Amino acid sequence: MTNRTQWNLEQVTQIIASLKDTPGAMLPILHGIQDTQGYVPPDAVPMIAEALNQTRAEVHGVISFYHLFRTTPPGKHVVQICRAEACQARGARALEAHVKAKLHIDYNNTTLDQEFTLEPIYCLGNCACGPSIRVDDDIVGRVTTDKFDLIVDELTTVALDLAPLNPVRQEKKA
Amino acid sequence: MSIKVYVPRDTTTLSLDGNRVALEIIKEAESRGEDIQLIRNGSRGVFWLEPMVEVETNQGRVAYGPVEVRDVTRLFDAGFLAGSDSHKLSLGKPEELPYLKKQQRLTFARAGIIDPVSIDDYKALEGFKGLARSLQLTGQEIVDEVKASGLRGRGGAAFPTGIKWQTVHDCPPDQKYIVCNADEGDSGTFADRMVMEADPFMLIEGMTIAGLAVGATQGYIYLRSEYPVAYDILKEAIDNAYAAGYLGSDLLGSGKTFDLEVRLGAAAYICGEETSLLESLEGKRGLVRFKPPLPAIEGLFGKPTIVNNVLSLAAVPYIMSEGGQAYADYGMGRSRGTLPFQLAGNVQQGGLIELAFGPTLRQLIDDFGGGTASGRPMKAIQVGGPLGAYLPESQWDTPLDYEAFAAIEAVLGHGGIVIFDDTVDMTEQARFSMEFCVEESCGKCTPCRIGSTRGVEVIDKIRSGVNVEANLTLLDDLCDTMIHGSLCAMGGMTPFPVQSAFKHFPEDIDKAIAHSTSAEVH
């Protein structure tokens, strides 16, 4: 069983109920859940399936099709590195190697201290000012290895001072 | 009276610390007792000068850039609020910047000038004129005007927009939909993002006109989730349009209805393909559909649907207010109007360049690019996104025109131009194209789903010197199967960058082999 304390059953139930009647409700529901809980808890799958009158397999099929949706809780911060061509032309491959070494993790993993989850991303649309990364909802351009280290330092320092108890992203996309 | 200061709020400016620059300006003004009004405009697309701060003076706006937080105090000291040109970041009047002056901006005429969510700003610069005129016309008259413009789909496929509209128009009255494809996944492109972040009402107006033309009352903007800033600005703009009567059940008192909603994608490149996008909007896996039926006849939820790219819809307000002929007067051959080219990758002066079709790739790069960012010689240019060919210098004199590019087995696509310097290993780029297809294939067609994995393996063998000749033949054969055996452009065009890389840069094969054997020795 998933540890229920990691996600808010009541909130998820409410999100599903409020969106289930919109046309093509699946993605809005999945976004709503991931935005508030940080991921789509496997135990939410049967709830979504029932609300949308679909099978669990269908819901799982949608979740697994899209790179965005995760089924395990992310770290406090999600770092995405652009792997696409325009950033490659500006040294994204070297940056990618540096980030993996700095955080001691590969893509789609979370650091042991639960601070950072690292993910690949294919284009942030900031192609004239690469290499680009996204840290939570912020996109950062012309990222050098030094600049990346600075971002990590700032985030870990701020986290000590101001970290909210619940490390999920603010609900901006309501 | 307070002095107007502009700091853009688009993704690129924010990615270069624009918010902190804005806050610093407010703080500095307060401490000096200066009365300023800070306006968050969109970017003009001169991305190499962002964050570009502008000040409104008696002589018009003057610009400074690129401004960093540490420059702010000195800008105040130098009298930038009075438009002084004594600071080293002074750029003079933004519209006089050669980078902007040499462009032909129709779609991006307002970008960076207005506050993107202000209806008053939009209306002050010709906004909603096209809608006002369209409300006086029949659906067929609107479709005819779009046909007369010669506008072709700006997403990459270049299908005539007017014909698509005619098909939906001619379907019997029923629920119809306008879907805007804002899943701008091609690397090296950001024109859609710029429309949504700098001038979203233009897109809203274009979609509303499309709705009037074909009798559709509901629109969806399918926006990629990688664009959080565009999402926020679009939502704000849509709310403002509803409040002012430019969306909703009684458009400008005409009794006509058009509702609009933004839907987020979820990081799947394939959802930029129109039928995959429709599946995704319906809440399913983004599997590509067979055509026919065309989406124009059986699209979203099985109903007649216009699926148009952001730039196609954004071109419509101009066409409707100035007339189709005014738009068609730009361009060459069958490529009418303008295309916003996007200069990206390893380039000194990256940004958005809207020009009529026709100049050569080399002219564009020479006139605007300013060389590579690294200062090294250019080696290859990929035009048209991850499914577009890599062009060697011998092909840079090709005119920027759909047909001219097709003739050299290349594509203009969505207008993205990505520059690589001489440190690039083209065999590595070819490998990436296949790897990207592995990652992003929807999995429906075998040549795309399996072929791309086999492609990565074969390229790895070539790069490490295993049976090179035989494997090159095998790769050609595989590419041929992908091109002819895939349902959509994902599998059908992935071979373009792969084959062009091997064909035009054969010397890189030997280099890769030498590199891999020396790596083994060590």
Side-chain angles (χ1 to χ4, degrees), chain A residues 64-88:
Chain A
S64 60
F65 183 85
Y66 297 96
H67 298 307
L68 183 83
F69 300 123
R70 346 181 161 84
T71 50
T72 51
K76 199 172 286 175
H77 302 287
V78 176
V79 175
Q80 296 172 319
I81 316 260
C82 176
R83 293 196 69 215
E85 290 89 342
C87 284
Q88 289 167 5

PDB file of all heavy atoms in Angstrom, chain A residues 64-88:
ATOM      1  N   SER A  64       1.163   6.549 -18.306  1.00  0.00           N
ATOM      2  CA  SER A  64       2.486   6.090 -18.737  1.00  0.00           C
ATOM      3  C   SER A  64       2.871   6.616 -20.120  1.00  0.00           C
ATOM      4  O   SER A  64       4.042   6.622 -20.479  1.00  0.00           O
ATOM      5  CB  SER A  64       2.545   4.554 -18.727  1.00  0.00           C
ATOM      6  OG  SER A  64       1.570   4.040 -19.617  1.00  0.00           O
ATOM      7  N   PHE A  65       1.891   7.103 -20.881  1.00  0.00           N
ATOM      8  CA  PHE A  65       2.211   7.624 -22.223  1.00  0.00           C
ATOM      9  C   PHE A  65       2.954   8.949 -22.145  1.00  0.00           C
ATOM     10  O   PHE A  65       3.841   9.232 -22.944  1.00  0.00           O
ATOM     11  CB  PHE A  65       0.926   7.817 -23.034  1.00  0.00           C
ATOM     12  CG  PHE A  65       1.173   8.277 -24.452  1.00  0.00           C
ATOM     13  CD1 PHE A  65       1.453   7.359 -25.449  1.00  0.00           C
ATOM     14  CD2 PHE A  65       1.140   9.625 -24.771  1.00  0.00           C
ATOM     15  CE1 PHE A  65       1.703   7.776 -26.751  1.00  0.00           C
ATOM     16  CE2 PHE A  65       1.384  10.051 -26.066  1.00  0.00           C
ATOM     17  CZ  PHE A  65       1.661   9.122 -27.064  1.00  0.00           C
ATOM     18  N   TYR A  66       2.572   9.792 -21.186  1.00  0.00           N
ATOM     19  CA  TYR A  66       3.103  11.155 -21.121  1.00  0.00           C
ATOM     20  C   TYR A  66       4.309  11.242 -20.185  1.00  0.00           C
ATOM     21  O   TYR A  66       4.253  10.771 -19.047  1.00  0.00           O
ATOM     22  CB  TYR A  66       1.999  12.117 -20.678  1.00  0.00           C
ATOM     23  CG  TYR A  66       0.856  12.176 -21.670  1.00  0.00           C
ATOM     24  CD1 TYR A  66      -0.283  11.394 -21.502  1.00  0.00           C
ATOM     25  CD2 TYR A  66       0.939  12.978 -22.798  1.00  0.00           C
ATOM     26  CE1 TYR A  66      -1.325  11.428 -22.427  1.00  0.00           C
ATOM     27  CE2 TYR A  66      -0.091  13.024 -23.725  1.00  0.00           C
ATOM     28  CZ  TYR A  66      -1.214  12.248 -23.537  1.00  0.00           C
ATOM     29  OH  TYR A  66      -2.237  12.287 -24.455  1.00  0.00           O
ATOM     30  N   HIS A  67       5.372  11.879 -20.679  1.00  0.00           N
ATOM     31  CA  HIS A  67       6.583  11.993 -19.857  1.00  0.00           C
ATOM     32  C   HIS A  67       6.331  12.765 -18.567  1.00  0.00           C
ATOM     33  O   HIS A  67       7.008  12.567 -17.579  1.00  0.00           O
ATOM     34  CB  HIS A  67       7.683  12.722 -20.637  1.00  0.00           C
ATOM     35  CG  HIS A  67       8.108  12.014 -21.887  1.00  0.00           C
ATOM     36  ND1 HIS A  67       8.496  10.700 -21.892  1.00  0.00           N
ATOM     37  CD2 HIS A  67       8.206  12.434 -23.165  1.00  0.00           C
ATOM     38  CE1 HIS A  67       8.827  10.344 -23.133  1.00  0.00           C
ATOM     39  NE2 HIS A  67       8.648  11.378 -23.929  1.00  0.00           N
ATOM     40  N   LEU A  68       5.381  13.681 -18.604  1.00  0.00           N
ATOM     41  CA  LEU A  68       5.213  14.590 -17.463  1.00  0.00           C
ATOM     42  C   LEU A  68       4.751  13.895 -16.191  1.00  0.00           C
ATOM     43  O   LEU A  68       5.180  14.247 -15.089  1.00  0.00           O
ATOM     44  CB  LEU A  68       4.196  15.684 -17.827  1.00  0.00           C
ATOM     45  CG  LEU A  68       3.982  16.746 -16.745  1.00  0.00           C
ATOM     46  CD1 LEU A  68       5.065  17.815 -16.845  1.00  0.00           C
ATOM     47  CD2 LEU A  68       2.613  17.398 -16.873  1.00  0.00           C
ATOM     48  N   PHE A  69       3.862  12.924 -16.343  1.00  0.00           N
ATOM     49  CA  PHE A  69       3.247  12.360 -15.142  1.00  0.00           C
ATOM     50  C   PHE A  69       4.168  11.367 -14.441  1.00  0.00           C
ATOM     51  O   PHE A  69       4.742  10.481 -15.073  1.00  0.00           O
ATOM     52  CB  PHE A  69       1.905  11.708 -15.499  1.00  0.00           C
ATOM     53  CG  PHE A  69       0.931  12.684 -16.081  1.00  0.00           C
ATOM     54  CD1 PHE A  69       0.366  12.480 -17.339  1.00  0.00           C
ATOM     55  CD2 PHE A  69       0.588  13.839 -15.388  1.00  0.00           C
ATOM     56  CE1 PHE A  69      -0.518  13.394 -17.879  1.00  0.00           C
ATOM     57  CE2 PHE A  69      -0.296  14.762 -15.925  1.00  0.00           C
ATOM     58  CZ  PHE A  69      -0.855  14.538 -17.183  1.00  0.00           C
ATOM     59  N   ARG A  70       4.304  11.520 -13.141  1.00  0.00           N
ATOM     60  CA  ARG A  70       5.105  10.587 -12.351  1.00  0.00           C
ATOM     61  C   ARG A  70       4.190   9.829 -11.394  1.00  0.00           C
ATOM     62  O   ARG A  70       3.153  10.341 -10.976  1.00  0.00           O
ATOM     63  CB  ARG A  70       6.139  11.269 -11.464  1.00  0.00           C
ATOM     64  CG  ARG A  70       6.449  12.643 -11.698  1.00  0.00           C
ATOM     65  CD  ARG A  70       7.523  13.147 -10.730  1.00  0.00           C
ATOM     66  NE  ARG A  70       8.071  14.346 -11.316  1.00  0.00           N
ATOM     67  CZ  ARG A  70       7.497  15.537 -11.166  1.00  0.00           C
ATOM     68  NH1 ARG A  70       6.448  15.692 -10.396  1.00  0.00           N
ATOM     69  NH2 ARG A  70       8.010  16.578 -11.782  1.00  0.00           N
ATOM     70  N   THR A  71       4.634   8.659 -11.020  1.00  0.00           N
ATOM     71  CA  THR A  71       3.831   7.838 -10.113  1.00  0.00           C
ATOM     72  C   THR A  71       4.524   7.648  -8.768  1.00  0.00           C
ATOM     73  O   THR A  71       4.068   6.885  -7.940  1.00  0.00           O
ATOM     74  CB  THR A  71       3.546   6.464 -10.746  1.00  0.00           C
ATOM     75  OG1 THR A  71       4.777   5.918 -11.213  1.00  0.00           O
ATOM     76  CG2 THR A  71       2.584   6.593 -11.920  1.00  0.00           C
ATOM     77  N   THR A  72       5.643   8.335  -8.590  1.00  0.00           N
ATOM     78  CA  THR A  72       6.284   8.339  -7.274  1.00  0.00           C
ATOM     79  C   THR A  72       6.540   9.784  -6.876  1.00  0.00           C
ATOM     80  O   THR A  72       6.681  10.653  -7.755  1.00  0.00           O
ATOM     81  CB  THR A  72       7.639   7.594  -7.306  1.00  0.00           C
ATOM     82  OG1 THR A  72       8.417   8.126  -8.383  1.00  0.00           O
ATOM     83  CG2 THR A  72       7.441   6.092  -7.523  1.00  0.00           C
ATOM     84  N   PRO A  73       6.610  10.078  -5.575  1.00  0.00           N
ATOM     85  CA  PRO A  73       6.796  11.471  -5.161  1.00  0.00           C
ATOM     86  C   PRO A  73       8.155  12.002  -5.610  1.00  0.00           C
ATOM     87  O   PRO A  73       9.147  11.279  -5.520  1.00  0.00           O
ATOM     88  CB  PRO A  73       6.739  11.397  -3.621  1.00  0.00           C
ATOM     89  CG  PRO A  73       6.248  10.040  -3.279  1.00  0.00           C
ATOM     90  CD  PRO A  73       6.524   9.155  -4.440  1.00  0.00           C
ATOM     91  N   PRO A  74       8.193  13.231  -6.135  1.00  0.00           N
ATOM     92  CA  PRO A  74       9.471  13.819  -6.543  1.00  0.00           C
ATOM     93  C   PRO A  74      10.185  14.417  -5.334  1.00  0.00           C
ATOM     94  O   PRO A  74       9.611  14.492  -4.248  1.00  0.00           O
ATOM     95  CB  PRO A  74       9.034  14.921  -7.493  1.00  0.00           C
ATOM     96  CG  PRO A  74       7.711  15.359  -6.944  1.00  0.00           C
ATOM     97  CD  PRO A  74       7.076  14.146  -6.333  1.00  0.00           C
ATOM     98  N   GLY A  75      11.417  14.822  -5.554  1.00  0.00           N
ATOM     99  CA  GLY A  75      12.126  15.548  -4.510  1.00  0.00           C
ATOM    100  C   GLY A  75      11.509  16.926  -4.314  1.00  0.00           C
ATOM    101  O   GLY A  75      10.542  17.301  -4.973  1.00  0.00           O
ATOM    102  N   LYS A  76      12.113  17.678  -3.409  1.00  0.00           N
ATOM    103  CA  LYS A  76      11.577  19.001  -3.098  1.00  0.00           C
ATOM    104  C   LYS A  76      11.610  19.900  -4.337  1.00  0.00           C
ATOM    105  O   LYS A  76      10.731  20.722  -4.539  1.00  0.00           O
ATOM    106  CB  LYS A  76      12.415  19.604  -1.965  1.00  0.00           C
ATOM    107  CG  LYS A  76      11.750  20.725  -1.240  1.00  0.00           C
ATOM    108  CD  LYS A  76      12.580  21.110  -0.015  1.00  0.00           C
ATOM    109  CE  LYS A  76      12.457  20.078   1.101  1.00  0.00           C
ATOM    110  NZ  LYS A  76      13.351  20.395   2.244  1.00  0.00           N
ATOM    111  N   HIS A  77      12.652  19.741  -5.139  1.00  0.00           N
ATOM    112  CA  HIS A  77      12.757  20.518  -6.372  1.00  0.00           C
ATOM    113  C   HIS A  77      12.937  19.577  -7.567  1.00  0.00           C
ATOM    114  O   HIS A  77      13.658  18.600  -7.466  1.00  0.00           O
ATOM    115  CB  HIS A  77      13.955  21.464  -6.324  1.00  0.00           C
ATOM    116  CG  HIS A  77      13.892  22.412  -5.179  1.00  0.00           C
ATOM    117  ND1 HIS A  77      13.015  23.474  -5.128  1.00  0.00           N
ATOM    118  CD2 HIS A  77      14.568  22.444  -4.013  1.00  0.00           C
ATOM    119  CE1 HIS A  77      13.165  24.126  -3.990  1.00  0.00           C
ATOM    120  NE2 HIS A  77      14.094  23.527  -3.285  1.00  0.00           N
ATOM    121  N   VAL A  78      12.272  19.936  -8.671  1.00  0.00           N
ATOM    122  CA  VAL A  78      12.436  19.154  -9.885  1.00  0.00           C
ATOM    123  C   VAL A  78      13.323  19.948 -10.847  1.00  0.00           C
ATOM    124  O   VAL A  78      13.022  21.098 -11.174  1.00  0.00           O
ATOM    125  CB  VAL A  78      11.072  18.853 -10.544  1.00  0.00           C
ATOM    126  CG1 VAL A  78      11.277  18.109 -11.860  1.00  0.00           C
ATOM    127  CG2 VAL A  78      10.196  18.038  -9.598  1.00  0.00           C
ATOM    128  N   VAL A  79      14.420  19.325 -11.241  1.00  0.00           N
ATOM    129  CA  VAL A  79      15.344  19.964 -12.182  1.00  0.00           C
ATOM    130  C   VAL A  79      15.218  19.258 -13.524  1.00  0.00           C
ATOM    131  O   VAL A  79      15.364  18.031 -13.597  1.00  0.00           O
ATOM    132  CB  VAL A  79      16.802  19.850 -11.678  1.00  0.00           C
ATOM    133  CG1 VAL A  79      17.770  20.409 -12.728  1.00  0.00           C
ATOM    134  CG2 VAL A  79      16.967  20.577 -10.360  1.00  0.00           C
ATOM    135  N   GLN A  80      14.919  20.014 -14.565  1.00  0.00           N
ATOM    136  CA  GLN A  80      14.812  19.433 -15.900  1.00  0.00           C
ATOM    137  C   GLN A  80      15.874  20.062 -16.793  1.00  0.00           C
ATOM    138  O   GLN A  80      15.998  21.277 -16.849  1.00  0.00           O
ATOM    139  CB  GLN A  80      13.420  19.689 -16.482  1.00  0.00           C
ATOM    140  CG  GLN A  80      12.321  18.994 -15.682  1.00  0.00           C
ATOM    141  CD  GLN A  80      10.927  19.394 -16.134  1.00  0.00           C
ATOM    142  OE1 GLN A  80      10.673  20.564 -16.410  1.00  0.00           O
ATOM    143  NE2 GLN A  80      10.025  18.435 -16.205  1.00  0.00           N
ATOM    144  N   ILE A  81      16.620  19.215 -17.483  1.00  0.00           N
ATOM    145  CA  ILE A  81      17.668  19.710 -18.376  1.00  0.00           C
ATOM    146  C   ILE A  81      17.191  19.555 -19.806  1.00  0.00           C
ATOM    147  O   ILE A  81      16.748  18.475 -20.200  1.00  0.00           O
ATOM    148  CB  ILE A  81      18.945  18.866 -18.252  1.00  0.00           C
ATOM    149  CG1 ILE A  81      19.260  18.597 -16.790  1.00  0.00           C
ATOM    150  CG2 ILE A  81      20.091  19.492 -19.029  1.00  0.00           C
ATOM    151  CD1 ILE A  81      20.282  19.460 -16.198  1.00  0.00           C
ATOM    152  N   CYS A  82      17.298  20.630 -20.590  1.00  0.00           N
ATOM    153  CA  CYS A  82      16.893  20.514 -21.989  1.00  0.00           C
ATOM    154  C   CYS A  82      17.935  19.720 -22.753  1.00  0.00           C
ATOM    155  O   CYS A  82      19.117  20.053 -22.743  1.00  0.00           O
ATOM    156  CB  CYS A  82      16.717  21.886 -22.635  1.00  0.00           C
ATOM    157  SG  CYS A  82      16.324  21.698 -24.383  1.00  0.00           S
ATOM    158  N   ARG A  83      17.475  18.671 -23.424  1.00  0.00           N
ATOM    159  CA  ARG A  83      18.378  17.801 -24.184  1.00  0.00           C
ATOM    160  C   ARG A  83      18.280  18.050 -25.686  1.00  0.00           C
ATOM    161  O   ARG A  83      18.887  17.329 -26.473  1.00  0.00           O
ATOM    162  CB  ARG A  83      18.025  16.325 -23.930  1.00  0.00           C
ATOM    163  CG  ARG A  83      18.272  15.837 -22.525  1.00  0.00           C
ATOM    164  CD  ARG A  83      18.274  14.310 -22.507  1.00  0.00           C
ATOM    165  NE  ARG A  83      19.454  13.780 -23.199  1.00  0.00           N
ATOM    166  CZ  ARG A  83      19.469  12.660 -23.932  1.00  0.00           C
ATOM    167  NH1 ARG A  83      18.364  11.954 -24.080  1.00  0.00           N
ATOM    168  NH2 ARG A  83      20.569  12.246 -24.506  1.00  0.00           N
ATOM    169  N   ALA A  84      17.499  19.023 -26.104  1.00  0.00           N
ATOM    170  CA  ALA A  84      17.230  19.178 -27.538  1.00  0.00           C
ATOM    171  C   ALA A  84      18.364  19.905 -28.268  1.00  0.00           C
ATOM    172  O   ALA A  84      19.276  20.448 -27.653  1.00  0.00           O
ATOM    173  CB  ALA A  84      15.908  19.887 -27.741  1.00  0.00           C
ATOM    174  N   GLU A  85      18.259  19.908 -29.593  1.00  0.00           N
ATOM    175  CA  GLU A  85      19.374  20.309 -30.450  1.00  0.00           C
ATOM    176  C   GLU A  85      19.917  21.720 -30.184  1.00  0.00           C
ATOM    177  O   GLU A  85      21.131  21.916 -30.155  1.00  0.00           O
ATOM    178  CB  GLU A  85      18.976  20.202 -31.932  1.00  0.00           C
ATOM    179  CG  GLU A  85      18.809  18.774 -32.438  1.00  0.00           C
ATOM    180  CD  GLU A  85      17.407  18.231 -32.263  1.00  0.00           C
ATOM    181  OE1 GLU A  85      16.642  18.807 -31.462  1.00  0.00           O
ATOM    182  OE2 GLU A  85      17.062  17.229 -32.923  1.00  0.00           O
ATOM    183  N   ALA A  86      19.021  22.695 -30.025  1.00  0.00           N
ATOM    184  CA  ALA A  86      19.505  24.065 -29.888  1.00  0.00           C
ATOM    185  C   ALA A  86      20.352  24.208 -28.622  1.00  0.00           C
ATOM    186  O   ALA A  86      21.328  24.966 -28.599  1.00  0.00           O
ATOM    187  CB  ALA A  86      18.331  25.048 -29.860  1.00  0.00           C
ATOM    188  N   CYS A  87      19.991  23.481 -27.587  1.00  0.00           N
ATOM    189  CA  CYS A  87      20.802  23.522 -26.363  1.00  0.00           C
ATOM    190  C   CYS A  87      22.071  22.681 -26.515  1.00  0.00           C
ATOM    191  O   CYS A  87      23.125  23.033 -25.986  1.00  0.00           O
ATOM    192  CB  CYS A  87      19.978  23.083 -25.150  1.00  0.00           C
ATOM    193  SG  CYS A  87      18.824  24.370 -24.599  1.00  0.00           S
ATOM    194  N   GLN A  88      21.963  21.581 -27.275  1.00  0.00           N
ATOM    195  CA  GLN A  88      23.169  20.784 -27.564  1.00  0.00           C
ATOM    196  C   GLN A  88      24.235  21.659 -28.219  1.00  0.00           C
ATOM    197  O   GLN A  88      25.422  21.552 -27.905  1.00  0.00           O
ATOM    198  CB  GLN A  88      22.841  19.636 -28.530  1.00  0.00           C
ATOM    199  CG  GLN A  88      22.006  18.522 -27.933  1.00  0.00           C
ATOM    200  CD  GLN A  88      21.466  17.583 -29.019  1.00  0.00           C
ATOM    201  OE1 GLN A  88      21.792  17.721 -30.192  1.00  0.00           O
ATOM    202  NE2 GLN A  88      20.652  16.630 -28.607  1.00  0.00           N
TER     203      GLN A  88
END
